[in-house]
């Protein structure tokens, strides 16, 4: 990598980081405003709110990375063009293909950063943030690797997981008597949440502890009245955006074995797989919207158009994922089409620019 290549990549990377930090500050501000309504619920105070927002930042950075690459690339390339540096670089013998290779290296760096955030950092921290918030607001619940734990009167309940249709799996219940001694333990294979708040337990194995013996019984189905609010159980539902590709692969297979609809998770899987490529694509889009000299049109207008295009990509990806579920679009198209369309647009604009 020669001096000019390092210079261009450094200029674009610095601007991309600045753009990312600016967007993170803006998103964090709106997230704080959104969370203010929950302040004072349980032990959810300002410190917990700040911790929640900070732990969500890697997930926001992951979502905003392609947009930051586009805006950072647009600003830095526009600065090079306005100062005639881009013209000098081309006059020194650097071809458009070589320049595109440099931009690809810049995009590849941020694509790697996107993979790191989306696969290892963001999913873990986002899930922990949601668990911390839920535990602080509700008090009597906690979550971990073994699922959801909650205390209800004289019972301690553990639920391993909840499927998208709100079917509970792996329920364990320990009950105490008035002397605070363990009186019985029950384990149910699954449970359905009834409209009145009770649980319809299925395939229950119960052990009742007597003074000198333990009575074991099994029941096929049983209604268990419980006053736990239905929305408390939603903390068991991991959002597709908070899962890595590996976790999504395992979870989709698990849902298929339980006859569950996997379209939402399949769309998220394809989107996660293709999304890092969007950072590389946005580097090419930035070049396509940059005037090669100050004589080629209104530079400010092109810069504004490129930024609007980046915002369109950012919001259209989510909107397209939502509408595709309504109309039954195949998960591959729903997850990959926005990035593919923008890649084709970048190629078209660059080719048209070269013909001028």
């Amino acid at each position: 990598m020669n001096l000019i290549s390092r210079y261009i990549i450094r200029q674009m990377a610095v601007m991309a980081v600045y753009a990312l930090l600016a967007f993170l500050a803006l998103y964090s501000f709106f997230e704080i405003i959104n969370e203010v309504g929950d302040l004072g619920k349980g032990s959810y105070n300002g410190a917990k709110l700040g911790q929640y927002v900070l732990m969500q930042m890697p997930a926001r950075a992951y979502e905003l990375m392609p947009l930051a690459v586009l805006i950072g690339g647009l600003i830095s390339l526009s600065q090079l063009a306005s100062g005639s540096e881009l013209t000098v670089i081309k006059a020194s013998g650097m071809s458009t293909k070589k320049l595109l290779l440099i931009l690809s290296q810049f995009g590849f760096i941020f694509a790697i950063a996107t993979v790191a955030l989306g696969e290892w950092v963001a999913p873990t921290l986002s899930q922990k943030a949601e668990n911390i918030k839920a535990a602080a607001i509700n008090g009597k619940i906690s979550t971990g690797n073994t699922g959801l734990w909650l205390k209800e009167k004289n019972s301690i309940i553990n639920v391993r997981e909840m499927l998208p249709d709100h079917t509970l799996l792996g329920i364990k219940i320990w009950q105490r008597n008035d002397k605070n001694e363990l009186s019985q333990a029950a384990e149910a294979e699954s449970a359905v949440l009834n409209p009145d708040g009770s649980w319809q337990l299925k395939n229950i194995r119960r052990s009742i502890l007597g003074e000198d013996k333990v009575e074991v019984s099994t029941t096929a189905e049983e209604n268990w009245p419980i006053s736990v609010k239905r929305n408390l159980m939603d903390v068991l539902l991991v959002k597709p955006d908070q899962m890595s590709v590996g976790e999504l692969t395992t979870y989709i297979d698990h849902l298929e074995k339980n006859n569950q609809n996997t379209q939402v998770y399949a769309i998220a899987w394809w989107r996660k797989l293709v999304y890092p490529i969007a950072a590389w694509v946005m580097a090419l889009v930035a070049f396509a919207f940059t005037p090669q000299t100050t004589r080629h049109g209104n530079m400010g207008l092109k810069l504004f158009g490129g930024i609007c295009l980046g915002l369109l990509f950012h919001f259209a990806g989510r909107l397209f994922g939502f509408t595709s579920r309504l109309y039954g679009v195949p998960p591959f198209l729903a997850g990959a089409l926005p990035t593919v369309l923008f890649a084709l647009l970048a190629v078209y604009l660059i080719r048209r620019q070269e013909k001028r």
Side-chain angles (χ1 to χ4, degrees), residues 152-189:
E152 175 65 19
K153 296 180 180 179
N154 291 331
S155 300
I156 297 174
I157 307 154
N158 172 233
V159 182
R160 189 179 72 244
E161 68 171 304
M162 183 166 69
L163 298 176
D165 66 352
H166 287 79
T167 298
L168 306 178
L169 298 179
I171 302 101
K172 296 179 180 179
I173 305 164
W174 295 269
Q175 291 184 314
R176 298 170 298 172
N177 57 25
D178 296 336
K179 297 179 181 179
N180 205 28
E181 298 172 337
L182 181 65
S183 60
Q184 63 174 285
E187 185 173 353
E189 183 180 306

Side-chain angles (χ1 to χ4, degrees), residues 42-330:
S43 61
Y44 193 59
N45 52 25
K48 289 285 176 64
L49 186 152
Q51 184 181 11
Y52 175 82
V53 172
L54 285 174
M55 292 178 76
Q56 291 286 10
M57 274 193 177
R60 300 291 172 262
Y62 170 81
E63 295 170 3
L64 294 166
M65 193 71 76
L67 183 59
V69 168
L70 173 61
I71 293 177
L74 276 170
I75 294 174
S76 57
L77 288 175
S78 296
Q79 288 177 342
L80 291 174
S82 64
S84 299
E85 291 176 271
L86 206 55
T87 304
V88 172
I89 289 172
K90 282 197 165 188
S92 65
M94 181 174 287
S95 65
T96 300
K97 287 185 179 179
K98 176 64 175 176
L99 196 54
L100 287 174
L101 180 61
I102 294 172
L103 292 172
S104 295
Q105 291 171 343
F106 158 70
F108 183 73
I109 291 170
F110 280 84
I112 294 297
T114 304
V115 171
L117 285 173
E119 288 298 299
W120 298 290
V121 184
T124 302
L125 289 180
S126 292
Q127 291 176 28
K128 286 183 178 179
E130 295 292 346
N131 293 341
I132 288 171
K133 179 183 175 181
I137 290 177
N138 298 297
K140 62 181 180 180
I141 73 168
S142 64
T143 55
N145 294 330
T146 55
L148 174 73
W149 291 84
L150 58 94
K151 184 176 182 296
E152 175 65 19
K153 296 180 180 179
N154 291 331
S155 300
I156 297 174
I157 307 154
N158 172 233
V159 182
R160 189 179 72 244
E161 68 171 304
M162 183 166 69
L163 298 176
D165 66 352
H166 287 79
T167 298
L168 306 178
L169 298 179
I171 302 101
K172 296 179 180 179
I173 305 164
W174 295 269
Q175 291 184 314
R176 298 170 298 172
N177 57 25
D178 296 336
K179 297 179 181 179
N180 205 28
E181 298 172 337
L182 181 65
S183 60
Q184 63 174 285
E187 185 173 353
E189 183 180 306
S190 63
V192 176
L193 304 181
N194 295 322
D196 61 357
S198 63
W199 293 6
Q200 197 70 24
L201 302 176
K202 297 181 179 180
N203 298 327
I204 311 112
R205 186 177 185 274
R206 180 177 281 105
S207 301
I208 301 175
L209 280 68
E211 292 184 2
D212 55 356
K213 63 178 180 178
V214 177
E215 296 182 4
V216 180
S217 62
T218 57
T219 309
E221 192 168 338
E222 178 183 311
N223 184 273
W224 186 40
I226 185 172
S227 59
V228 175
K229 293 180 181 179
R230 188 185 182 96
N231 61 349
L232 286 184
M233 308 305 298
D234 287 343
V235 297
L236 281 171
L237 284 177
V238 180
K239 298 175 184 177
D241 292 342
Q242 295 177 351
M243 303 172 76
S244 65
V245 171
E247 290 171 337
L248 282 167
T249 303
T250 304
Y251 196 59
I252 288 170
D253 182 61
H254 173 65
L255 291 180
E256 288 175 345
K257 290 178 180 177
N258 286 275
N259 300 316
Q260 298 289 305
N261 188 345
T262 62
Q263 187 180 25
V264 175
Y265 295 90
I267 292 172
W269 189 89
W270 280 107
R271 191 167 185 267
K272 283 270 187 181
L273 197 67
V274 176
Y275 202 67
I277 301 173
W280 172 76
V281 170
M282 288 302 166
L284 302 183
V285 174
F287 180 76
F289 271 83
T290 302
Q292 301 305 294
T293 68
T294 54
R295 295 175 298 173
H296 286 173
N298 190 318
M299 184 175 294
L301 186 61
K302 284 199 171 186
L303 181 61
F304 177 74
I307 292 173
C308 289
L309 195 66
L311 291 171
L312 176 65
F313 173 82
H314 180 68
F315 293 109
R318 292 186 173 276
L319 180 63
F320 190 77
F322 175 74
T323 55
S324 63
R325 295 198 298 270
L326 293 178
Y327 298 104
V329 177

